[in-house]
Amino acid sequence: MGIYLEEDLVFKVIQNKAFDNLKNGTIEYIFDSDGVTTIFEPEYVTSKYKWDAFQWWCVFKNYIYLQTFSKKMVLVKKNNLTPEDYESLISLLSTHVQQKEICH
């Protein structure tokens, strides 16, 4: 459950057991200037999404929601981010993806 910064402002966020299908593993999200990479552990299945694959993002309750045009959802729990990392992630999303006005 950590975040690290690299040259292109890369975020690494781990969602522990957020969904029923993840009971035996975690999803790691890496946000960078190119898009979002997801890594499902322990199998280390990796998916890469460029920013233009995302339709919208929003913040609702304790999560940041990011939806692709194919209706896949990336969820990031706000509690897993420091206030500085939260602001940096919001800035990155605002730069690359349209924000949805109402999220529910």
Side-chain angles (χ1 to χ4, degrees):
M1 187 166 49
I3 295 180
Y4 64 96
L5 296 174
E6 287 184 356
E7 185 177 340
D8 288 329
L9 191 63
V10 176
F11 296 96
K12 181 178 177 180
V13 180
I14 298 175
Q15 292 287 129
N16 283 315
K17 300 179 183 177
F19 306 101
D20 289 341
N21 63 337
L22 301 179
K23 286 184 179 177
N24 296 321
T26 60
I27 294 181
E28 184 176 296
Y29 297 107
I30 301 172
F31 298 88
D32 61 28
S33 60
D34 293 330
V36 180
T37 302
T38 61
I39 304 169
F40 177 72
E41 297 177 14
E43 290 88 4
Y44 301 102
V45 176
T46 302
S47 299
K48 176 72 175 176
Y49 301 94
K50 293 200 178 282
W51 287 120
D52 61 3
F54 291 98
Q55 185 174 21
W56 57 263
W57 71 274
C58 69
V59 178
F60 183 69
K61 296 192 179 183
N62 196 35
Y63 289 91
I64 300 167
Y65 293 77
L66 184 58
Q67 182 175 313
T68 68
F69 282 98
S70 62
K71 305 299 184 208
K72 292 184 181 180
M73 190 71 71
V74 173
L75 293 176
V76 179
K77 194 169 185 176
K78 287 172 30 178
N79 290 348
N80 291 346
L81 303 171
T82 67
E84 296 81 18
D85 291 330
Y86 173 80
E87 291 301 320
S88 296
L89 179 54
I90 294 300
S91 176
L92 188 62
L93 292 173
S94 297
T95 301
H96 296 287
V97 183
Q98 177 180 339
Q99 185 175 10
K100 190 172 183 177
E101 296 281 330
I102 300 173
C103 185
H104 46 45

